[in-house]
């Protein structure tokens, strides 16, 4: 097992994913973290990122910092999504190499796969066809991150590799309707409609047809998978087995309308739900093939109902603090 006193830098530790990884690693007994909030270190800035690595020299680096958002944000702020993400990952990966990091794990997402790739999505389908238009800039940046890790391994022998989580949810998720993903957006909408906190809202509108199929993984399970892989896999194993990254998911999907029904029940909302067919659906189905990570010996442990309940409890706690 990776020693408990290794110096670990979790980029993006205030975000949903980074905070879950930090929580998990602390719980496991790791005690030598280096963290910087965005206001302390803007990872888009190459000089500042270089200086930070020169001074701190982290031994393990986990790249969970990124500009992240839902369909609307991705489609509207296309330049920011490609520029910020390319800069963040290039700056971190290059600085980690120059300062001798022992291991780096880069987090991408399932949108890197072609829009109409066969389902479930196998790791090998990367770069086999065209991407979904709405989040293409984000996906191109994430693919560049995978290729940076792979190229630094091939040229310099760096122990850098990538993982591709499916849609995640959990504590610290973004519940702001202008930028959130579908699951937290539904929690907020049902919660507000139930409590009528928004003037005049007594029915819930859901974007799209409700038909797309999506997979969801509780973020604490992702943190568990990262810890598992960090100990089990080196870059050499990954690239020698002919892949550039590993999928992390639960291997099951659900339609958006069934997801909405689940959340509706958990939140306790009993009134009308309507589907806004003028809003985009995105890809019809997105399910990761998780055969490889299962074969390595990792499986998720939180089912969707329990994960949504825990997330809603966290959301309620934040509302109470306001
Ligand atoms: N959420 C998902 O469903 C999902 C699914 C698959 C993969 N992932 C991947 O997981 C990673 C993290 O996602 P997340 O959901 O945790 O996002 P998040 O909650 O928005 O967190 C992103 C983190 O990155 C930081 N950050 C953004 N821009 C930065 C900058 N210029 N300099 C320094 N820090 C910066 C943010 O800091 P501030 O809080 O100060 O902005 C925050 O700590 C991403 O790579 C994403 O692709 C997420």
């Amino acid at each position: 097992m990776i020693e408990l006193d290794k110096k670990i830098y979790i980029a993006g530790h205030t975000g949903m994913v980074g905070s879950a990884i930090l929580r998990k690693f602390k719980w496991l007994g790791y005690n030598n973290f280096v963290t910087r909030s965005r206001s302390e270190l803007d990872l888009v800035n190459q000089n500042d990122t270089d200086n930070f690595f020169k001074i701190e020299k982290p031994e393990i680096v986990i790249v969970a910092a990124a500009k992240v958002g839902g369909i609307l944000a991705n489609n509207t702020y296309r330049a920011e999504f490609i520029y910020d993400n390319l800069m963040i990952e290039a700056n971190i990966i290059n600085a980690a190499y120059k300062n001798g990091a022992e291991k780096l794990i880069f987090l991408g997402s399932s949108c890197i796969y072609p829009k109409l790739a066969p389902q479930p999505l196998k790791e090998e389908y990367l770069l086999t066809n065209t991407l979904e238009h709405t989040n293409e800039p984000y996906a191109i940046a994430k693919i560049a991150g995978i290729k940076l890790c792979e190229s630094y391994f091939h040229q310099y022998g760096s122990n850098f590799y990538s993982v591709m989580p499916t849609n995640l949810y959990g504590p610290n998720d973004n519940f702001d309707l202008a930028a959130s993903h579908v699951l937290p957006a539904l929690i907020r909408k049902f919660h507000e409609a139930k409590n009528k906190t928004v003037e005049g809202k007594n029915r819930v509108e859901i974007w799209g047809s409700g038909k797309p199929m999506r997979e969801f993984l509780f973020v604490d399970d992702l943190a568990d998978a990262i810890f598992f892989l960090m100990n089990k896999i080196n870059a050499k194993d990954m690239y020698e087995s002919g892949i550039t990254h590993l999928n992390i998911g639960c291997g099951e999907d659900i339609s958006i309308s069934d997801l909405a029904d689940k959340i509706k029940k958990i939140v306790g909302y009993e009134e009308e739900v309507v589907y806004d067919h003028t809003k985009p659906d995105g890809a019809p189905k997105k399910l990761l093939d998780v055969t490889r990570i299962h074969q390595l010996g990792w499986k998720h442990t939180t089912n969707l109902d329990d994960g949504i309940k825990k997330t809603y409890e966290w959301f309620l706690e934040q509302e109470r603090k306001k």
Side-chain angles (χ1 to χ4, degrees):
M1 192 174 97
I2 287 183
E3 297 91 324
L4 294 178
D5 61 352
K6 282 278 175 203
K7 192 168 195 179
I8 303 178
Y9 170 46
I10 301 172
H13 74 288
T14 58
M16 174 175 68
V17 170
S19 62
I21 297 172
L22 184 59
R23 211 162 48 236
K24 172 83 188 173
F25 281 38
K26 277 186 176 165
W27 182 82
L28 287 162
Y30 286 89
N31 53 43
N32 192 4
F33 297 100
V34 47
T35 53
R36 292 288 185 282
S37 66
R38 190 212 290 241
S39 58
E40 291 164 330
L41 172 63
D42 181 358
L43 292 161
V44 169
N45 185 306
Q46 190 182 31
N47 263 340
D48 291 352
T49 308
D50 272 350
N51 285 336
F52 162 73
F53 271 83
K54 229 181 263 170
I55 293 163
E56 294 292 349
K57 298 213 179 304
E59 295 166 289
I60 309 280
V61 177
I62 299 172
V63 188
K67 184 173 178 65
V68 174
I71 295 183
L72 183 66
N74 265 276
N75 200 19
T76 312
Y77 306 108
R78 299 177 73 85
E80 286 176 40
F81 270 83
I82 192 163
Y83 179 78
D84 283 20
N85 286 311
L86 282 172
M87 294 304 286
I88 290 170
E89 66 207 26
N91 288 343
I92 296 179
I93 289 168
N94 192 51
Y97 154 65
K98 284 197 295 191
N99 292 283
E102 289 169 21
K103 186 169 258 188
L104 177 145
I105 299 184
F106 171 71
L107 277 103
S109 86
S110 57
C111 66
I112 56 153
Y113 290 113
K115 178 178 181 176
L116 297 175
Q119 302 281 333
L121 297 157
K122 291 185 194 298
E123 285 87 351
E124 295 85 330
Y125 296 164
L126 181 70
L127 291 174
T128 53
N129 213 329
T130 14
L131 298 160
E132 157 69 27
H133 177 75
T134 47
N135 57 18
E136 189 191 62
Y138 181 72
I140 294 277
K142 288 291 177 188
I143 293 170
I146 298 174
K147 290 294 169 186
L148 276 163
C149 292
E150 186 191 22
S151 305
Y152 276 63
F153 169 74
H154 285 306
Q155 186 173 347
Y156 305 127
S158 304
N159 191 7
F160 297 175
Y161 62 83
S162 308
V163 295
M164 296 303 121
T166 189
N167 301 301
L168 303 167
Y169 67 99
N172 277 323
D173 207 341
N174 183 352
F175 289 87
D176 167 7
L177 291 182
S180 56
H181 290 118
V182 59
L183 195 150
L186 288 175
I187 290 182
R188 175 171 286 285
K189 283 183 178 181
F190 282 122
H191 173 80
E192 286 185 348
K194 178 185 159 195
N195 294 294
K196 308 242 175 7
T197 48
V198 176
E199 201 57 34
K201 279 219 166 163
N202 52 7
R203 62 178 204 169
V204 166
E205 260 182 29
I206 299 179
W207 280 19
S209 66
K211 288 184 186 148
M213 300 293 291
R214 291 290 181 273
E215 178 187 11
F216 297 95
L217 183 73
F218 190 54
V219 72
D220 288 20
D221 282 353
L222 172 77
D224 187 58
I226 302 269
F227 172 71
F228 172 84
L229 291 174
M230 199 173 93
N231 282 287
K232 183 102 180 170
I233 294 278
N234 285 310
K236 197 167 172 287
D237 312 315
M238 178 83 78
Y239 301 119
E240 281 182 355
S241 65
I243 51 168
T244 51
H245 58 279
L246 265 174
N247 289 339
I248 306 178
C250 64
E252 294 156 24
D253 55 3
I254 179 171
S255 71
I256 296 299
S257 56
D258 286 348
L259 175 74
D261 287 346
K262 258 186 203 307
I263 297 177
K264 182 180 170 190
K265 209 165 141 199
I266 289 168
V267 170
Y269 171 76
E270 285 168 350
E271 290 174 60
E272 198 191 352
V273 175
V274 289
Y275 286 87
D276 179 354
H277 292 262
T278 64
K279 293 287 194 311
D281 264 349
K285 185 174 169 85
K286 262 167 66 179
L287 176 64
L288 291 182
D289 186 313
V290 287
T291 309
R292 283 178 186 271
I293 195 166
H294 282 180
Q295 279 170 350
L296 286 168
W298 183 86
K299 233 183 152 188
H300 73 291
T301 53
T302 312
N303 71 40
L304 189 54
D305 286 86
D306 289 345
I308 295 171
K309 279 179 202 152
K310 286 183 187 171
T311 308
Y312 186 46
E313 276 161 24
W314 182 87
F315 172 85
L316 288 175
E317 210 178 299
Q318 307 314 303
E319 292 295 295
R320 279 195 289 272
K321 283 184 196 161
K322 278 182 185 169

